[in-house]
Amino acid sequence: MNKDKRQLEVLISSINEVTRIEAVIDSLPRGYISVKRIAGHTYYYRQWRDKDKIISHYVPEAFLNGVKQKIIIRKENEQLLRITKKDLLKAVRLVEKAGLLTHEQVEELKESAKYDNIPTKERSEFVKGRFPNADKKVLEAINYYVEGDASYNNILLASWGF
């Protein structure tokens, strides 16, 4: 049972890490800095692709270093996300192969990671509506979630008997 519990912990940890990295990436600007020389003046633009279109936004020189740093951080996080998603895939395969969770349950865990961003004040009402007939183990997980000491995935696992 300890091995099973550890595999589930690794899965939950990987899901949470992917969700966290995706949130960081979404908060940072994408693209690259393009330098244009027009009539002897230098202009800087942040450019990125949106489907088949290249979008350009002018970046004042005063903000150039900050924008460059944010783009670098985004690219580093995108690389980290690729690695973390590979780890998540391995964890999913192990859990499914061991028969601990079905594919649908794993997908539900992935989707539910966003529920950890619900403000603490609103969590109680949110989970009461989702688990109206909760047993003692699920209620304990709900209390930890409401207090901010556990993730929503802990409630799901408790409701599935883990």
Side-chain angles (χ1 to χ4, degrees):
M1 186 64 176
N2 284 338
K3 182 180 177 183
D4 295 345
K5 186 175 180 183
R6 180 66 188 135
Q7 286 177 337
L8 289 172
E9 287 173 358
V10 168
L11 176 66
I12 297 293
S13 174
S14 295
I15 290 171
N16 291 339
E17 187 68 9
V18 165
T19 304
R20 186 191 64 75
I21 294 170
E22 286 174 341
V24 169
I25 290 171
D26 289 344
S27 71
L28 295 168
R30 63 184 185 169
Y32 56 92
I33 298 296
S34 175
V35 181
K36 307 274 185 194
R37 297 203 190 280
I38 303 171
H41 297 284
T42 304
Y43 298 94
Y44 301 95
Y45 295 89
R46 180 173 64 93
Q47 295 183 321
W48 68 94
R49 185 172 293 280
D50 188 13
K51 298 177 187 165
D52 340 346
K53 238 176 146 181
I54 293 180
I55 311 292
S56 295
H57 280 163
Y58 172 72
V59 178
E61 194 169 349
F63 298 111
L64 184 62
N65 287 333
V67 172
K68 281 183 178 179
Q69 283 295 89
K70 289 178 181 178
I71 290 172
I72 290 169
I73 292 169
R74 181 185 175 107
K75 290 182 189 284
E76 289 171 350
N77 276 282
E78 286 171 344
Q79 185 176 7
L80 180 61
L81 181 62
R82 284 190 288 278
I83 293 167
T84 307
K85 281 187 173 182
K86 286 180 185 177
D87 292 342
L88 174 59
L89 187 59
K90 288 178 190 174
V92 167
R93 286 183 183 147
L94 284 173
V95 167
E96 288 178 353
K97 185 177 179 183
L100 297 174
L101 298 175
T102 65
H103 180 73
E104 291 77 23
Q105 288 173 321
V106 170
E107 290 303 313
E108 191 173 345
L109 286 174
K110 287 179 185 178
E111 185 64 27
S112 69
K114 65 183 175 191
Y115 299 138
D116 291 335
N117 294 330
I118 294 173
T120 306
K121 293 177 182 176
E122 298 170 17
R123 288 183 175 196
S124 181
E125 292 302 315
F126 171 73
V127 289
K128 284 179 184 171
R130 290 191 169 260
F131 298 94
N133 301 323
D135 63 14
K136 185 178 178 182
K137 192 173 183 178
V138 175
L139 286 173
E140 185 178 328
I142 288 173
N143 288 335
Y144 282 120
Y145 171 73
V146 168
E147 293 169 9
D149 296 328
S151 70
Y152 184 81
N153 287 337
N154 295 110
I155 300 172
L156 286 178
L157 290 173
S159 70
W160 294 333
F162 292 101

Short mmCIF file of all heavy atoms in Angstrom, two decimals, residues 90-155:
data_model
loop_
_atom_site.label_atom_id
_atom_site.label_comp_id
_atom_site.label_asym_id
_atom_site.label_seq_id
_atom_site.Cartn_x
_atom_site.Cartn_y
_atom_site.Cartn_z
N LYS A 90 5.05 9.74 -17.20
CA LYS A 90 5.57 8.53 -16.55
C LYS A 90 4.74 8.17 -15.32
O LYS A 90 4.41 7.01 -15.10
CB LYS A 90 7.04 8.73 -16.14
CG LYS A 90 8.01 8.77 -17.28
CD LYS A 90 9.42 9.03 -16.78
CE LYS A 90 10.37 9.30 -17.92
NZ LYS A 90 11.72 9.69 -17.44
N ALA A 91 4.42 9.18 -14.51
CA ALA A 91 3.63 8.94 -13.30
C ALA A 91 2.24 8.43 -13.66
O ALA A 91 1.72 7.51 -13.01
CB ALA A 91 3.53 10.22 -12.48
N VAL A 92 1.63 8.98 -14.71
CA VAL A 92 0.31 8.53 -15.15
C VAL A 92 0.37 7.08 -15.58
O VAL A 92 -0.48 6.26 -15.21
CB VAL A 92 -0.22 9.43 -16.30
CG1 VAL A 92 -1.42 8.80 -16.97
CG2 VAL A 92 -0.56 10.81 -15.78
N ARG A 93 1.38 6.74 -16.36
CA ARG A 93 1.52 5.35 -16.83
C ARG A 93 1.68 4.39 -15.66
O ARG A 93 1.07 3.31 -15.66
CB ARG A 93 2.72 5.24 -17.77
CG ARG A 93 2.46 5.84 -19.13
CD ARG A 93 3.65 5.64 -20.04
NE ARG A 93 3.44 6.29 -21.32
CZ ARG A 93 4.40 6.83 -22.04
NH1 ARG A 93 5.65 6.80 -21.63
NH2 ARG A 93 4.12 7.40 -23.20
N LEU A 94 2.48 4.75 -14.67
CA LEU A 94 2.67 3.88 -13.50
C LEU A 94 1.38 3.67 -12.73
O LEU A 94 1.04 2.55 -12.35
CB LEU A 94 3.74 4.46 -12.57
CG LEU A 94 5.18 4.31 -13.02
CD1 LEU A 94 6.11 5.08 -12.08
CD2 LEU A 94 5.57 2.83 -13.04
N VAL A 95 0.63 4.75 -12.52
CA VAL A 95 -0.61 4.67 -11.75
C VAL A 95 -1.66 3.85 -12.50
O VAL A 95 -2.35 3.01 -11.92
CB VAL A 95 -1.13 6.09 -11.41
CG1 VAL A 95 -2.55 6.06 -10.91
CG2 VAL A 95 -0.22 6.75 -10.40
N GLU A 96 -1.75 4.07 -13.81
CA GLU A 96 -2.73 3.33 -14.61
C GLU A 96 -2.33 1.87 -14.74
O GLU A 96 -3.17 0.98 -14.67
CB GLU A 96 -2.90 3.98 -15.98
CG GLU A 96 -3.66 5.29 -15.93
CD GLU A 96 -3.81 5.96 -17.29
OE1 GLU A 96 -3.21 5.48 -18.29
OE2 GLU A 96 -4.52 6.98 -17.36
N LYS A 97 -1.04 1.61 -14.91
CA LYS A 97 -0.56 0.23 -15.04
C LYS A 97 -0.78 -0.55 -13.74
O LYS A 97 -1.14 -1.73 -13.76
CB LYS A 97 0.93 0.22 -15.39
CG LYS A 97 1.49 -1.15 -15.66
CD LYS A 97 2.94 -1.09 -16.08
CE LYS A 97 3.48 -2.48 -16.32
NZ LYS A 97 4.91 -2.44 -16.66
N ALA A 98 -0.61 0.13 -12.60
CA ALA A 98 -0.83 -0.52 -11.31
C ALA A 98 -2.31 -0.70 -11.00
O ALA A 98 -2.68 -1.37 -10.04
CB ALA A 98 -0.16 0.30 -10.20
N GLY A 99 -3.17 -0.09 -11.82
CA GLY A 99 -4.61 -0.22 -11.62
C GLY A 99 -5.13 0.63 -10.47
O GLY A 99 -6.22 0.38 -9.97
N LEU A 100 -4.38 1.63 -10.07
CA LEU A 100 -4.81 2.48 -8.96
C LEU A 100 -5.92 3.44 -9.39
O LEU A 100 -6.87 3.67 -8.64
CB LEU A 100 -3.63 3.29 -8.42
CG LEU A 100 -2.50 2.47 -7.81
CD1 LEU A 100 -1.33 3.37 -7.45
CD2 LEU A 100 -2.99 1.72 -6.60
N LEU A 101 -5.78 4.01 -10.58
CA LEU A 101 -6.77 4.95 -11.11
C LEU A 101 -7.03 4.63 -12.57
O LEU A 101 -6.16 4.13 -13.28
CB LEU A 101 -6.26 6.40 -11.01
CG LEU A 101 -5.97 6.96 -9.63
CD1 LEU A 101 -5.37 8.34 -9.74
CD2 LEU A 101 -7.21 6.99 -8.77
N THR A 102 -8.22 4.97 -13.01
CA THR A 102 -8.55 4.81 -14.43
C THR A 102 -8.06 6.06 -15.18
O THR A 102 -7.73 7.08 -14.56
CB THR A 102 -10.07 4.69 -14.65
OG1 THR A 102 -10.69 5.91 -14.25
CG2 THR A 102 -10.64 3.52 -13.86
N HIS A 103 -8.07 5.98 -16.49
CA HIS A 103 -7.66 7.12 -17.30
C HIS A 103 -8.58 8.32 -17.03
O HIS A 103 -8.12 9.46 -16.95
CB HIS A 103 -7.69 6.74 -18.79
CG HIS A 103 -7.29 7.84 -19.70
ND1 HIS A 103 -5.99 8.27 -19.81
CD2 HIS A 103 -8.02 8.63 -20.52
CE1 HIS A 103 -5.94 9.28 -20.66
NE2 HIS A 103 -7.16 9.51 -21.12
N GLU A 104 -9.87 8.06 -16.87
CA GLU A 104 -10.83 9.13 -16.60
C GLU A 104 -10.54 9.81 -15.27
O GLU A 104 -10.65 11.03 -15.14
CB GLU A 104 -12.27 8.59 -16.61
CG GLU A 104 -12.77 8.17 -17.98
CD GLU A 104 -12.22 6.81 -18.43
OE1 GLU A 104 -11.81 5.98 -17.57
OE2 GLU A 104 -12.16 6.59 -19.65
N GLN A 105 -10.18 9.03 -14.25
CA GLN A 105 -9.86 9.60 -12.95
C GLN A 105 -8.60 10.46 -13.02
O GLN A 105 -8.54 11.53 -12.42
CB GLN A 105 -9.69 8.50 -11.91
CG GLN A 105 -11.00 7.84 -11.52
CD GLN A 105 -10.80 6.65 -10.61
OE1 GLN A 105 -9.88 5.86 -10.80
NE2 GLN A 105 -11.68 6.51 -9.63
N VAL A 106 -7.61 10.01 -13.78
CA VAL A 106 -6.39 10.79 -13.95
C VAL A 106 -6.71 12.11 -14.64
O VAL A 106 -6.23 13.18 -14.23
CB VAL A 106 -5.32 10.00 -14.74
CG1 VAL A 106 -4.15 10.89 -15.13
CG2 VAL A 106 -4.84 8.80 -13.94
N GLU A 107 -7.54 12.06 -15.67
CA GLU A 107 -7.92 13.29 -16.36
C GLU A 107 -8.69 14.23 -15.43
O GLU A 107 -8.52 15.45 -15.48
CB GLU A 107 -8.76 12.97 -17.60
CG GLU A 107 -7.98 12.30 -18.72
CD GLU A 107 -6.77 13.10 -19.18
OE1 GLU A 107 -6.91 14.32 -19.40
OE2 GLU A 107 -5.68 12.52 -19.30
N GLU A 108 -9.52 13.66 -14.56
CA GLU A 108 -10.25 14.48 -13.59
C GLU A 108 -9.29 15.14 -12.61
O GLU A 108 -9.46 16.30 -12.24
CB GLU A 108 -11.27 13.61 -12.84
CG GLU A 108 -12.25 14.41 -12.02
CD GLU A 108 -13.36 13.58 -11.41
OE1 GLU A 108 -13.55 12.42 -11.83
OE2 GLU A 108 -14.04 14.10 -10.52
N LEU A 109 -8.25 14.42 -12.19
CA LEU A 109 -7.25 15.00 -11.31
C LEU A 109 -6.53 16.16 -12.00
O LEU A 109 -6.29 17.21 -11.40
CB LEU A 109 -6.22 13.95 -10.88
CG LEU A 109 -6.66 12.93 -9.85
CD1 LEU A 109 -5.58 11.88 -9.65
CD2 LEU A 109 -6.99 13.60 -8.53
N LYS A 110 -6.19 15.97 -13.27
CA LYS A 110 -5.50 17.04 -14.02
C LYS A 110 -6.39 18.27 -14.11
O LYS A 110 -5.94 19.39 -13.93
CB LYS A 110 -5.15 16.57 -15.44
CG LYS A 110 -4.02 15.57 -15.49
CD LYS A 110 -3.78 15.18 -16.94
CE LYS A 110 -2.76 14.11 -17.09
NZ LYS A 110 -2.58 13.71 -18.50
N GLU A 111 -7.66 18.05 -14.42
CA GLU A 111 -8.60 19.16 -14.59
C GLU A 111 -8.87 19.86 -13.25
O GLU A 111 -9.03 21.08 -13.21
CB GLU A 111 -9.91 18.64 -15.18
CG GLU A 111 -10.92 19.70 -15.51
CD GLU A 111 -10.47 20.66 -16.60
OE1 GLU A 111 -9.65 20.28 -17.45
OE2 GLU A 111 -10.94 21.80 -16.57
N SER A 112 -8.89 19.11 -12.17
CA SER A 112 -9.26 19.69 -10.88
C SER A 112 -8.15 20.50 -10.23
O SER A 112 -8.40 21.20 -9.26
CB SER A 112 -9.71 18.58 -9.93
OG SER A 112 -8.61 17.78 -9.56
N ALA A 113 -6.95 20.43 -10.76
CA ALA A 113 -5.84 21.20 -10.17
C ALA A 113 -6.14 22.69 -10.16
O ALA A 113 -5.65 23.42 -9.30
CB ALA A 113 -4.54 20.90 -10.91
N LYS A 114 -6.97 23.15 -11.09
CA LYS A 114 -7.30 24.58 -11.14
C LYS A 114 -8.16 25.01 -9.96
O LYS A 114 -8.26 26.19 -9.65
CB LYS A 114 -7.98 24.93 -12.46
CG LYS A 114 -9.32 24.29 -12.65
CD LYS A 114 -9.91 24.61 -14.00
CE LYS A 114 -11.21 23.85 -14.19
NZ LYS A 114 -11.69 23.92 -15.54
N TYR A 115 -8.79 24.08 -9.28
CA TYR A 115 -9.65 24.42 -8.15
C TYR A 115 -8.86 24.83 -6.91
O TYR A 115 -9.43 25.30 -5.94
CB TYR A 115 -10.59 23.26 -7.80
CG TYR A 115 -11.53 22.89 -8.91
CD1 TYR A 115 -11.79 21.57 -9.21
CD2 TYR A 115 -12.16 23.86 -9.68
CE1 TYR A 115 -12.65 21.22 -10.25
CE2 TYR A 115 -13.02 23.52 -10.70
CZ TYR A 115 -13.26 22.20 -10.98
OH TYR A 115 -14.12 21.87 -12.00
N ASP A 116 -7.55 24.67 -6.95
CA ASP A 116 -6.73 25.11 -5.83
C ASP A 116 -6.54 26.62 -5.84
O ASP A 116 -6.07 27.20 -4.87
CB ASP A 116 -5.36 24.40 -5.85
CG ASP A 116 -5.49 22.92 -5.53
OD1 ASP A 116 -6.47 22.54 -4.85
OD2 ASP A 116 -4.63 22.15 -5.95
N ASN A 117 -6.92 27.27 -6.93
CA ASN A 117 -6.78 28.72 -7.03
C ASN A 117 -8.02 29.45 -6.53
O ASN A 117 -8.07 30.68 -6.58
CB ASN A 117 -6.50 29.13 -8.48
CG ASN A 117 -5.16 28.62 -8.95
OD1 ASN A 117 -4.24 28.48 -8.16
ND2 ASN A 117 -5.05 28.33 -10.22
N ILE A 118 -9.01 28.72 -6.07
CA ILE A 118 -10.22 29.34 -5.52
C ILE A 118 -9.85 29.99 -4.20
O ILE A 118 -9.17 29.38 -3.37
CB ILE A 118 -11.33 28.28 -5.32
CG1 ILE A 118 -11.78 27.74 -6.67
CG2 ILE A 118 -12.50 28.86 -4.54
CD1 ILE A 118 -12.74 26.60 -6.58
N PRO A 119 -10.28 31.25 -3.98
CA PRO A 119 -9.97 31.91 -2.71
C PRO A 119 -10.47 31.10 -1.51
O PRO A 119 -11.52 30.46 -1.57
CB PRO A 119 -10.71 33.24 -2.80
CG PRO A 119 -10.92 33.47 -4.26
CD PRO A 119 -11.02 32.11 -4.88
N THR A 120 -9.70 31.13 -0.44
CA THR A 120 -10.01 30.33 0.75
C THR A 120 -11.42 30.59 1.26
O THR A 120 -12.11 29.66 1.69
CB THR A 120 -8.98 30.65 1.85
OG1 THR A 120 -7.67 30.46 1.32
CG2 THR A 120 -9.14 29.72 3.04
N LYS A 121 -11.88 31.83 1.21
CA LYS A 121 -13.22 32.17 1.72
C LYS A 121 -14.33 31.46 0.94
O LYS A 121 -15.38 31.16 1.49
CB LYS A 121 -13.43 33.68 1.66
CG LYS A 121 -12.55 34.45 2.60
CD LYS A 121 -12.76 35.94 2.45
CE LYS A 121 -11.82 36.71 3.36
NZ LYS A 121 -11.93 38.15 3.18
N GLU A 122 -14.10 31.20 -0.34
CA GLU A 122 -15.14 30.61 -1.19
C GLU A 122 -15.05 29.07 -1.26
O GLU A 122 -15.94 28.43 -1.81
CB GLU A 122 -15.03 31.18 -2.60
CG GLU A 122 -15.25 32.68 -2.64
CD GLU A 122 -14.90 33.29 -3.99
OE1 GLU A 122 -14.80 32.53 -4.98
OE2 GLU A 122 -14.72 34.50 -4.03
N ARG A 123 -14.00 28.51 -0.71
CA ARG A 123 -13.79 27.06 -0.84
C ARG A 123 -14.86 26.22 -0.15
O ARG A 123 -15.27 25.20 -0.66
CB ARG A 123 -12.41 26.68 -0.29
CG ARG A 123 -11.28 27.11 -1.16
CD ARG A 123 -9.96 26.65 -0.62
NE ARG A 123 -8.91 26.98 -1.56
CZ ARG A 123 -7.71 26.46 -1.52
NH1 ARG A 123 -7.41 25.57 -0.59
NH2 ARG A 123 -6.82 26.80 -2.39
N SER A 124 -15.30 26.65 1.01
CA SER A 124 -16.26 25.86 1.78
C SER A 124 -17.55 25.64 1.00
O SER A 124 -18.01 24.50 0.85
CB SER A 124 -16.56 26.57 3.09
OG SER A 124 -17.46 25.81 3.85
N GLU A 125 -18.12 26.69 0.46
CA GLU A 125 -19.36 26.56 -0.32
C GLU A 125 -19.13 25.75 -1.59
O GLU A 125 -19.97 24.96 -1.99
CB GLU A 125 -19.91 27.95 -0.67
CG GLU A 125 -20.42 28.72 0.50
CD GLU A 125 -21.53 27.99 1.24
OE1 GLU A 125 -22.45 27.45 0.58
OE2 GLU A 125 -21.49 27.96 2.49
N PHE A 126 -17.98 25.95 -2.19
CA PHE A 126 -17.65 25.25 -3.43
C PHE A 126 -17.64 23.74 -3.22
O PHE A 126 -18.28 22.99 -3.96
CB PHE A 126 -16.29 25.74 -3.96
CG PHE A 126 -15.75 24.93 -5.10
CD1 PHE A 126 -16.30 25.04 -6.36
CD2 PHE A 126 -14.69 24.06 -4.91
CE1 PHE A 126 -15.81 24.30 -7.42
CE2 PHE A 126 -14.19 23.32 -5.96
CZ PHE A 126 -14.74 23.44 -7.22
N VAL A 127 -16.93 23.25 -2.21
CA VAL A 127 -16.82 21.80 -2.02
C VAL A 127 -18.07 21.18 -1.42
O VAL A 127 -18.36 20.02 -1.69
CB VAL A 127 -15.57 21.40 -1.18
CG1 VAL A 127 -14.32 21.62 -1.95
CG2 VAL A 127 -15.53 22.10 0.14
N LYS A 128 -18.82 21.94 -0.64
CA LYS A 128 -20.07 21.39 -0.09
C LYS A 128 -21.04 21.04 -1.20
O LYS A 128 -21.76 20.04 -1.12
CB LYS A 128 -20.71 22.38 0.89
CG LYS A 128 -20.01 22.42 2.23
CD LYS A 128 -20.66 23.43 3.15
CE LYS A 128 -19.88 23.51 4.45
NZ LYS A 128 -20.33 24.62 5.29
N GLY A 129 -21.06 21.84 -2.26
CA GLY A 129 -21.92 21.56 -3.40
C GLY A 129 -21.44 20.37 -4.22
O GLY A 129 -22.24 19.66 -4.83
N ARG A 130 -20.16 20.13 -4.22
CA ARG A 130 -19.61 19.04 -5.02
C ARG A 130 -19.64 17.69 -4.30
O ARG A 130 -19.66 16.66 -4.95
CB ARG A 130 -18.17 19.36 -5.43
CG ARG A 130 -18.11 20.47 -6.45
CD ARG A 130 -16.72 20.57 -7.02
NE ARG A 130 -16.71 21.44 -8.16
CZ ARG A 130 -16.71 21.02 -9.42
NH1 ARG A 130 -16.73 19.75 -9.69
NH2 ARG A 130 -16.69 21.88 -10.40
N PHE A 131 -19.62 17.72 -2.97
CA PHE A 131 -19.60 16.47 -2.19
C PHE A 131 -20.68 16.53 -1.11
O PHE A 131 -20.37 16.60 0.09
CB PHE A 131 -18.22 16.26 -1.55
CG PHE A 131 -17.11 16.12 -2.54
CD1 PHE A 131 -16.37 17.24 -2.92
CD2 PHE A 131 -16.81 14.90 -3.10
CE1 PHE A 131 -15.34 17.12 -3.85
CE2 PHE A 131 -15.79 14.78 -4.03
CZ PHE A 131 -15.05 15.89 -4.40
N PRO A 132 -21.95 16.47 -1.50
CA PRO A 132 -23.02 16.63 -0.52
C PRO A 132 -23.13 15.45 0.46
O PRO A 132 -23.54 15.65 1.59
CB PRO A 132 -24.28 16.74 -1.39
CG PRO A 132 -23.91 16.10 -2.68
CD PRO A 132 -22.44 16.32 -2.85
N ASN A 133 -22.78 14.25 0.04
CA ASN A 133 -22.91 13.06 0.89
C ASN A 133 -21.54 12.51 1.27
O ASN A 133 -21.29 11.32 1.16
CB ASN A 133 -23.73 11.98 0.18
CG ASN A 133 -25.11 12.48 -0.18
OD1 ASN A 133 -25.71 13.24 0.57
ND2 ASN A 133 -25.60 12.08 -1.34
N ALA A 134 -20.66 13.39 1.72
CA ALA A 134 -19.29 12.99 2.02
C ALA A 134 -19.22 12.16 3.30
O ALA A 134 -19.89 12.45 4.28
CB ALA A 134 -18.41 14.22 2.15
N ASP A 135 -18.36 11.12 3.25
CA ASP A 135 -18.13 10.33 4.46
C ASP A 135 -17.06 11.02 5.31
O ASP A 135 -16.56 12.10 4.97
CB ASP A 135 -17.74 8.89 4.12
CG ASP A 135 -16.42 8.79 3.36
OD1 ASP A 135 -15.67 9.78 3.30
OD2 ASP A 135 -16.14 7.71 2.82
N LYS A 136 -16.68 10.39 6.43
CA LYS A 136 -15.76 11.00 7.39
C LYS A 136 -14.40 11.32 6.77
O LYS A 136 -13.85 12.41 6.98
CB LYS A 136 -15.59 10.07 8.60
CG LYS A 136 -14.76 10.65 9.70
CD LYS A 136 -14.67 9.70 10.87
CE LYS A 136 -13.78 10.30 11.94
NZ LYS A 136 -13.62 9.41 13.08
N LYS A 137 -13.88 10.41 5.98
CA LYS A 137 -12.56 10.60 5.36
C LYS A 137 -12.57 11.76 4.37
O LYS A 137 -11.66 12.58 4.33
CB LYS A 137 -12.14 9.30 4.66
CG LYS A 137 -10.71 9.26 4.23
CD LYS A 137 -10.35 7.88 3.70
CE LYS A 137 -8.89 7.81 3.33
NZ LYS A 137 -8.51 6.49 2.86
N VAL A 138 -13.63 11.85 3.59
CA VAL A 138 -13.76 12.94 2.61
C VAL A 138 -13.97 14.27 3.34
O VAL A 138 -13.39 15.29 2.95
CB VAL A 138 -14.91 12.66 1.63
CG1 VAL A 138 -15.14 13.83 0.70
CG2 VAL A 138 -14.64 11.39 0.83
N LEU A 139 -14.77 14.28 4.40
CA LEU A 139 -14.97 15.51 5.18
C LEU A 139 -13.66 16.02 5.77
O LEU A 139 -13.41 17.23 5.80
CB LEU A 139 -16.00 15.28 6.30
CG LEU A 139 -17.45 15.19 5.86
CD1 LEU A 139 -18.34 14.79 7.04
CD2 LEU A 139 -17.91 16.50 5.25
N GLU A 140 -12.82 15.10 6.21
CA GLU A 140 -11.51 15.50 6.74
C GLU A 140 -10.67 16.14 5.65
O GLU A 140 -10.04 17.19 5.86
CB GLU A 140 -10.79 14.27 7.31
CG GLU A 140 -9.49 14.58 7.98
CD GLU A 140 -8.84 13.33 8.57
OE1 GLU A 140 -9.56 12.42 9.00
OE2 GLU A 140 -7.60 13.29 8.59
N ALA A 141 -10.67 15.55 4.46
CA ALA A 141 -9.92 16.12 3.33
C ALA A 141 -10.50 17.48 2.95
O ALA A 141 -9.75 18.42 2.62
CB ALA A 141 -9.95 15.17 2.14
N ILE A 142 -11.83 17.61 3.00
CA ILE A 142 -12.47 18.88 2.69
C ILE A 142 -12.03 19.96 3.68
O ILE A 142 -11.72 21.09 3.29
CB ILE A 142 -14.02 18.73 2.68
CG1 ILE A 142 -14.45 17.95 1.44
CG2 ILE A 142 -14.70 20.09 2.76
CD1 ILE A 142 -15.92 17.59 1.42
N ASN A 143 -11.98 19.63 4.97
CA ASN A 143 -11.54 20.60 5.98
C ASN A 143 -10.12 21.07 5.72
O ASN A 143 -9.83 22.26 5.84
CB ASN A 143 -11.67 20.02 7.38
CG ASN A 143 -13.11 19.91 7.83
OD1 ASN A 143 -13.97 20.64 7.35
ND2 ASN A 143 -13.39 18.99 8.73
N TYR A 144 -9.23 20.15 5.37
CA TYR A 144 -7.85 20.53 5.06
C TYR A 144 -7.80 21.43 3.82
O TYR A 144 -7.02 22.37 3.76
CB TYR A 144 -6.96 19.31 4.84
CG TYR A 144 -6.54 18.64 6.13
CD1 TYR A 144 -6.87 17.32 6.39
CD2 TYR A 144 -5.79 19.33 7.08
CE1 TYR A 144 -6.48 16.70 7.57
CE2 TYR A 144 -5.41 18.72 8.26
CZ TYR A 144 -5.74 17.40 8.50
OH TYR A 144 -5.36 16.80 9.66
N TYR A 145 -8.63 21.13 2.85
CA TYR A 145 -8.69 21.94 1.62
C TYR A 145 -9.19 23.35 1.93
O TYR A 145 -8.62 24.34 1.48
CB TYR A 145 -9.60 21.26 0.59
CG TYR A 145 -9.92 22.09 -0.62
CD1 TYR A 145 -8.96 22.34 -1.61
CD2 TYR A 145 -11.19 22.64 -0.80
CE1 TYR A 145 -9.26 23.10 -2.72
CE2 TYR A 145 -11.48 23.40 -1.91
CZ TYR A 145 -10.52 23.63 -2.87
OH TYR A 145 -10.81 24.39 -3.98
N VAL A 146 -10.26 23.45 2.71
CA VAL A 146 -10.84 24.74 3.05
C VAL A 146 -9.83 25.59 3.83
O VAL A 146 -9.72 26.79 3.62
CB VAL A 146 -12.15 24.56 3.86
CG1 VAL A 146 -12.62 25.86 4.46
CG2 VAL A 146 -13.22 23.96 2.96
N GLU A 147 -9.04 24.95 4.69
CA GLU A 147 -8.05 25.67 5.48
C GLU A 147 -6.80 26.01 4.66
O GLU A 147 -5.93 26.73 5.12
CB GLU A 147 -7.66 24.85 6.70
CG GLU A 147 -8.79 24.71 7.70
CD GLU A 147 -8.50 23.69 8.78
OE1 GLU A 147 -7.35 23.21 8.87
OE2 GLU A 147 -9.43 23.37 9.54
N GLY A 148 -6.68 25.43 3.46
CA GLY A 148 -5.53 25.70 2.61
C GLY A 148 -4.36 24.77 2.85
O GLY A 148 -3.25 25.02 2.38
N ASP A 149 -4.57 23.68 3.59
CA ASP A 149 -3.48 22.75 3.91
C ASP A 149 -3.43 21.56 2.96
O ASP A 149 -2.53 20.72 3.07
CB ASP A 149 -3.63 22.22 5.34
CG ASP A 149 -3.49 23.34 6.37
OD1 ASP A 149 -2.73 24.28 6.09
OD2 ASP A 149 -4.14 23.27 7.43
N ALA A 150 -4.39 21.43 2.06
CA ALA A 150 -4.42 20.31 1.12
C ALA A 150 -4.99 20.80 -0.20
O ALA A 150 -5.61 21.86 -0.28
CB ALA A 150 -5.27 19.16 1.67
N SER A 151 -4.77 20.01 -1.24
CA SER A 151 -5.28 20.38 -2.56
C SER A 151 -6.64 19.72 -2.80
O SER A 151 -7.03 18.79 -2.10
CB SER A 151 -4.29 19.97 -3.65
OG SER A 151 -4.27 18.56 -3.78
N TYR A 152 -7.31 20.20 -3.83
CA TYR A 152 -8.60 19.63 -4.20
C TYR A 152 -8.43 18.16 -4.60
O TYR A 152 -9.31 17.34 -4.38
CB TYR A 152 -9.21 20.43 -5.36
CG TYR A 152 -10.58 19.97 -5.75
CD1 TYR A 152 -11.70 20.37 -5.04
CD2 TYR A 152 -10.77 19.14 -6.85
CE1 TYR A 152 -12.96 19.96 -5.39
CE2 TYR A 152 -12.03 18.72 -7.22
CZ TYR A 152 -13.13 19.13 -6.49
OH TYR A 152 -14.37 18.71 -6.85
N ASN A 153 -7.28 17.82 -5.16
CA ASN A 153 -7.01 16.44 -5.55
C ASN A 153 -7.03 15.50 -4.35
O ASN A 153 -7.39 14.33 -4.49
CB ASN A 153 -5.68 16.33 -6.28
CG ASN A 153 -5.75 16.90 -7.68
OD1 ASN A 153 -6.84 17.00 -8.25
ND2 ASN A 153 -4.64 17.28 -8.23
N ASN A 154 -6.66 15.99 -3.17
CA ASN A 154 -6.73 15.16 -1.98
C ASN A 154 -8.17 14.76 -1.65
O ASN A 154 -8.43 13.65 -1.20
CB ASN A 154 -6.11 15.88 -0.78
CG ASN A 154 -4.63 16.11 -0.94
OD1 ASN A 154 -4.20 17.24 -1.12
ND2 ASN A 154 -3.85 15.06 -0.91
N ILE A 155 -9.11 15.65 -1.93
CA ILE A 155 -10.52 15.34 -1.71
C ILE A 155 -10.96 14.26 -2.70
O ILE A 155 -11.64 13.30 -2.33
CB ILE A 155 -11.41 16.59 -1.88
CG1 ILE A 155 -11.00 17.67 -0.88
CG2 ILE A 155 -12.88 16.24 -1.72
CD1 ILE A 155 -11.68 19.01 -1.11
#
